[in-house]
Amino acid sequence: MVGSMGTEENRKKYLIVADSAIDLILLPTKRQYSRLCSIVAKEELDFGLDPNLEDRKARAILRNNRGVRINKIPGGPVLNIAQYLRAKGQEVAAISVVGNNPESKRYLEILKDLSVDIRGIHKREGSMPKCLYVYYNPEHQLPPIWRGNVSERAYIPKSDFLPEFFNAQDVLVFSVTHPEVAVKTLQYFKKNIAYNPGPVFDYLSFEETHFRDIIERTHILSVNKKEALQIQEGLSLKQLPDLFNLDNPNLEFIIHTKGEEGAEILGRNNKSVCMRLDPKIPLKMVDDIGAGDAFYAVAVDDLLSGLDPYEVLVNSTRAAQDSLQYRGAYNRGLEMPENTGFAMGRKVSNGH
């Protein structure tokens, strides 16, 4: 089914099922960063596998952030991905959960300004979900800490309009989506599916991730190096391309990002395309928050538009590099497609 929707200038309707969030980005000095790392390490030592560990770590960091600069920026996969799909001229709808406080209302206004269909976003009592980052530089940052607040991560809205709402979409996009939400959503949707599992393998057993059920229906899978190894171990695969088997008949592409080693696109036809970034290319980097979502959004759309895999890698790398130049993931410069070199899957040659 991938690549079959090339009419009407490759216009597609995307449905993103993922978390919405406000990103709290702490920018400590070197000394402050060391102190916050020590605080988090102590929390982990004291509480081990406590299910409330993430919230305890967040509370400890926020209690001890005196003098640390904080940026509060809209984010979460819903907004991060939607903005790049909208920049490419695609229609976007979302299923997510927000609160009913002023932050939540402003977040929904941003989505509305981007012309995102928010009928599937549920408003609950409470404050907007947060994602906490302690970011000294790309090599020295703490893993993101999620504070769900109103966000019930296994929640999907119940409404009579949902079957029709799903049927009106062309592509379903999962990104760090709670596995139970993904499985529930799949009962409504029968078209193209893109799946980025994210760090679910870090905090759930492999069976609890429902990976087998989701990948059976997935057309495009996106993983990083760590996730690829976790999948290989969980399924006892010798190599990632072994996913192209009879158990996963719909899987046509795997997007495999490798950090400084670049990225590759694997295809069911046993062909792969790799791209390594040239370290000599000067690149202004503010932070890497949201760069993965930018890469994912553009890569998925370009693959579905039938672009050559090498062109897909060039365009999605440009999107990720664009994201690196902004604090956080939200990029106001993406509101107009002509502001982006990768808009509408512009063809390139020799990486230019």
Side-chain angles (χ1 to χ4, degrees):
M1 189 181 297
V2 173
S4 63
M5 296 176 292
T7 60
E8 297 182 25
E9 298 182 344
N10 294 317
R11 289 293 298 271
K12 295 176 282 295
K13 294 181 178 180
Y14 284 86
L15 174 60
I16 305 169
V17 181
D19 285 318
S20 301
I22 299 294
D23 292 336
L24 299 180
I25 306 171
L26 277 67
L27 303 172
T29 64
K30 185 176 181 179
R31 173 180 284 187
Q32 290 168 335
Y33 177 74
S34 296
R35 179 166 55 85
L36 292 175
C37 286
S38 298
I39 290 167
V40 169
K42 185 178 185 302
E43 293 293 325
E44 291 176 342
L45 181 65
D46 288 349
F47 296 102
L49 297 177
D50 188 317
N52 297 316
L53 176 60
E54 291 302 288
D55 195 55
R56 291 179 185 275
K57 288 193 292 188
R59 289 173 183 268
I61 288 173
L62 293 173
R63 276 198 311 267
N64 291 275
N65 69 338
R66 181 175 296 179
V68 178
R69 202 162 57 124
I70 301 179
N71 285 261
K72 187 181 290 187
I73 301 173
V78 164
L79 176 57
N80 301 350
I81 293 170
Q83 64 183 343
Y84 282 90
L85 292 174
R86 289 294 300 129
K88 294 176 96 278
Q90 306 298 10
E91 295 184 38
V92 179
I95 286 181
S96 192
V97 182
V98 299
N100 65 346
N101 64 334
E103 278 183 341
S104 300
K105 293 175 183 177
R106 285 194 295 270
Y107 188 91
L108 292 177
E109 287 300 320
I110 291 171
L111 292 177
K112 283 196 259 185
D113 288 344
L114 288 170
S115 298
V116 174
D117 184 343
I118 62 171
R119 287 179 295 161
I121 296 183
H122 184 67
K123 291 182 285 186
R124 295 182 61 81
E125 292 288 333
S127 59
M128 185 77 188
K130 303 284 197 308
C131 195
L132 178 66
Y133 296 85
V134 177
Y135 195 100
Y136 177 59
N137 60 38
E139 290 75 36
H140 298 89
Q141 56 178 304
L142 290 175
I145 298 172
W146 179 259
R147 302 194 75 190
N149 298 316
V150 300
S151 180
E152 295 179 4
R153 302 193 70 170
Y155 173 85
I156 186 169
K158 296 179 180 179
S159 175
D160 293 338
F161 88 97
L162 273 183
E164 182 179 349
F165 181 66
F166 275 92
N167 288 332
Q169 316 302 325
D170 299 312
V171 187
L172 177 61
V173 178
F174 293 133
S175 182
V176 199
T177 308
H178 193 289
E180 292 181 20
V181 172
V183 170
K184 290 178 184 177
T185 304
L186 288 173
Q187 67 182 306
Y188 295 104
F189 197 80
K190 307 300 179 187
K191 303 177 188 176
N192 278 310
I193 296 167
Y195 179 43
N196 169 28
V200 296
F201 306 109
D202 291 340
Y203 55 85
L204 293 175
S205 70
F206 195 81
E207 293 307 314
E208 289 175 316
T209 67
H210 296 291
F211 183 80
R212 288 184 177 87
D213 299 322
I214 299 169
I215 196 64
E216 182 183 0
R217 296 282 308 282
T218 295
H219 299 83
I220 301 175
L221 173 68
S222 179
V223 293
N224 62 24
K225 287 173 63 175
K226 181 179 180 181
E227 293 153 8
L229 291 173
Q230 290 169 319
I231 290 169
Q232 288 174 227
E233 181 180 352
L235 295 177
S236 300
L237 304 177
K238 291 183 179 179
Q239 56 184 353
L240 194 58
D242 290 342
L243 276 173
F244 296 115
N245 55 43
L246 294 178
D247 292 331
N248 310 315
N250 296 305
L251 186 63
E252 296 195 33
F253 292 106
I254 300 174
I255 303 164
H256 187 197
T257 58
K258 302 180 177 182
E260 293 182 355
E261 299 174 39
E264 64 180 350
I265 292 178
L266 307 172
R268 182 172 278 276
N269 57 4
N270 292 321
K271 293 183 179 180
S272 67
V273 175
C274 300
M275 180 176 180
R276 183 185 293 270
L277 295 179
D278 185 346
K280 297 179 181 178
I281 297 176
L283 177 65
K284 173 189 172 186
M285 179 187 291
V286 176
D287 66 41
D288 57 0
I289 297 169
D293 286 331
F295 190 102
Y296 176 51
V298 173
V300 167
D301 188 61
D302 280 359
L303 284 172
L304 289 172
S305 298
L307 268 66
D308 177 82
Y310 179 79
E311 297 176 43
V312 174
L313 287 176
V314 172
N315 288 338
S316 50
T317 298
R318 282 179 172 169
Q321 290 179 335
D322 184 82
S323 176
L324 296 175
Q325 299 177 64
Y326 296 86
R327 177 67 64 206
Y330 178 42
N331 179 355
R332 292 172 179 82
L334 286 177
E335 292 176 4
M336 298 298 292
E338 59 268 24
N339 290 342
T340 61
F342 50 86
M344 297 306 295
R346 184 171 66 85
K347 287 184 177 290
V348 297
S349 61
N350 299 323
H352 298 291

